[in-house]
Every structure is written in C-alpha cells, then in structure tokens.
Amino acid sequence: MKIVADLHTHTIASVHAYSTHMEMIKEAESLGLYAFAITDHGQEMHGVPHPYYFMNLHAIPRVVNGVRVIKGMEANILQRNGTLDADQNVQNTLEFITASLHMPTYHDEVSITACTEAYLSVAENKNVNMISHSGSPYFKYDYETVVKKFAQKGKLIEINNSSIKHKPDFAKNCIEIAKLCKKYECRVAVDTDAHFITQLGRAQEALCMLEEIDFPEELVVNASVENLQAYMKEHNIPLI
C-alpha cells in the first residue's frame, strides 16, 4: 500500500513548521503525489495565521506543478460541544477541514465522556472532513462509539504517521482505532502531519501497521487516485 496524497500538512504559516507553500508543492511533485492538503492551524493555537490567510488561500491555484493543492485547515476543537476555532465564513471558504484536540487549545473537561461528546459533535459538522491524531492517551474517548458514528456520517479518521513513529503511547491506541475502522468500514486517511518537506508523503510506519492488521485498501481514501477522487466528488471538492 502507498499514499497518493497527504491530507494533513503544515507550512511556515503555522510558525512551528519550516517549509514554504512552494517548497511543499515542489516536494509533492518530486514524490509523484497526486495531491496534498495545506492544513495550517486554527486561531487558538500559538503562532498561527489570521483568518484572512485561510479566506485568501484561493490565491494559490488548484493545480501547481501538476499537484492538486487542497486548501484546508487543522481546526482546534475547543469544547465538548464541538465548537471549532474557525467561524462559519472561514469554514465555508475551505475545501478540507481536519479537527483535532490539543492540550493548549481545548477548554473543557478532559474525560472519556467529554472527549467522546466532542468528537460526536464534530461528526455533525458538515464542514469537517476528518479528525486527526485521535490516538492521544490524554484525550481518550469511546473509540467504538465514535468510529461507528464517523462511518455513518461518511467522515474520515486519520491514521497519523507521526503518532505511530514517535509516540509509543499513541501507537497502541492507533492500532485499536484502525481495527475498529476496519470492523465498521469507516474510511481513513493515512497522513504525515508534516512540518517540513522531508516528512511530506512519508507514511511508512502507518502503512506497515495497516498492512499488519490486513486493513482494506478501499477504506484508505488516499491509497489511490481513484479512491481520493471518489471521495472528493462525494464531498464536492473540485478535482482540478
């Protein structure tokens, strides 16, 4: 298995990432990626761009150097009711939104019940496509309940390569989540969470984990151009 797109990446606009948009595009081209999504952090994270940055991403052509550049955001989930740090105007402007829980930006009770409610609420947001790096032991949730809901809603659950590669306490949870996605036929995206060009598109640890549990390739939206284009058409994301 391989990935033809990386749907969770960061540029220098996030301050704690280190590559420009054009550097990421050129790296995606050199790797032969069909697409990648720019998903810089939302407003509650430290050192992030102004909302105008997200609303003006249309300035970047959809296709640059043969790579489909998907305009997105990694929005922060602020509360258990699923509130995000992006207003409706910003959300409506973007092509792809992944939502995440981060310690500096979540302002509510931290418990399995609260985190489960947060993800279930996010599942109801029509603008959210995916949740990212949800294997965090700090933000543990009822995996089965959430995976079933995301499968029903056609939402994606990310298999985050960085979590598996660098965080053993995340990795075991990622395996459990992936097995439930297989059980309930919930689609996933295998992403790098790249903060520098040398990470872009390189998701071998996550792919190996999925192969070890015999995860169906048809459930990985970025495992083939056909899978990704079908998902994009389903969610009205232009192909070009």
Side-chain angles (χ1 to χ4, degrees):
M1 197 185 302
K2 63 177 182 178
I3 62 170
V4 300
D6 199 337
L7 300 178
H8 182 180
T9 75
H10 298 279
T11 73
I12 56 171
S14 288
V15 178
H16 62 283
Y18 307 98
S19 299
T20 67
H21 300 73
M22 199 63 211
E23 286 170 339
M24 297 288 274
I25 289 166
K26 288 180 178 179
E27 185 68 10
E29 178 190 17
S30 72
L31 294 171
L33 293 182
Y34 168 74
F36 83 101
I38 299 170
T39 52
D40 287 308
H41 286 282
Q43 287 296 283
E44 285 290 308
M45 187 62 72
H46 303 300
V48 293
H50 189 275
Y52 290 171
Y53 162 83
F54 296 101
M55 298 180 75
N56 197 47
L57 279 171
H58 62 80
I60 301 173
R62 285 180 183 157
V63 179
V64 184
N65 291 14
V67 178
R68 174 64 170 91
V69 184
I70 298 171
K71 319 305 171 41
M73 166 192 274
E74 182 179 6
N76 296 291
I77 304 169
L78 305 180
Q79 296 172 314
R80 67 196 295 170
N81 66 2
T83 301
L84 302 180
D85 60 347
D87 67 28
Q88 206 63 47
N89 288 333
V90 171
Q91 291 185 40
N92 291 341
T93 300
L94 299 170
E95 296 176 315
F96 189 88
I97 296 176
T98 185
S100 306
L101 288 168
H102 292 100
M103 280 186 273
T105 59
Y106 179 68
H107 310 303
D108 210 329
E109 174 191 347
V110 178
S111 66
I112 290 177
T113 298
C115 293
T116 300
E117 287 181 15
Y119 283 132
L120 292 176
S121 297
V122 163
E124 300 295 337
N125 186 331
K126 65 180 179 62
N127 291 320
V128 173
N129 301 86
M130 179 173 79
I131 54 171
S132 286
H133 49 66
S134 71
S136 168
Y138 183 74
F139 293 118
K140 195 83 181 284
Y141 60 97
D142 183 334
Y143 297 149
E144 190 150 13
T145 297
V146 171
V147 168
K148 286 171 67 175
K149 182 72 166 183
F150 270 59
Q152 292 166 3
K153 289 289 185 177
K155 306 289 187 182
L156 306 177
I157 292 181
E158 180 187 69
I159 305 300
N160 185 288
N161 193 73
S162 180
S163 296
I164 294 168
K165 184 175 183 179
H166 300 296
K167 301 174 181 177
D169 54 340
F170 278 53
K172 61 182 180 180
N173 295 335
C174 293
I175 294 170
E176 184 179 347
I177 292 165
K179 287 180 176 178
L180 286 167
C181 288
K182 177 182 176 181
K183 177 180 178 181
Y184 291 107
E185 298 186 340
C186 180
R187 287 177 294 181
V188 305
V190 177
D191 299 316
T192 66
D193 199 354
H195 285 64
F196 190 64
I197 57 171
T198 57
Q199 299 168 341
L200 181 69
R202 297 161 174 88
Q204 197 54 43
E205 287 78 10
L207 292 170
C208 285
M209 182 272 283
L210 292 181
E211 288 172 1
E212 286 171 4
I213 65 171
D214 196 26
F215 195 88
E217 187 170 322
E218 61 268 22
L219 291 179
V220 182
V221 296
N222 54 342
S224 70
V225 173
E226 293 74 20
N227 285 4
L228 184 60
Q229 287 184 337
Y231 175 83
M232 292 170 71
K233 289 178 181 176
E234 178 185 327
H235 292 268
N236 298 313
I237 303 171
L239 299 183
I240 57 174

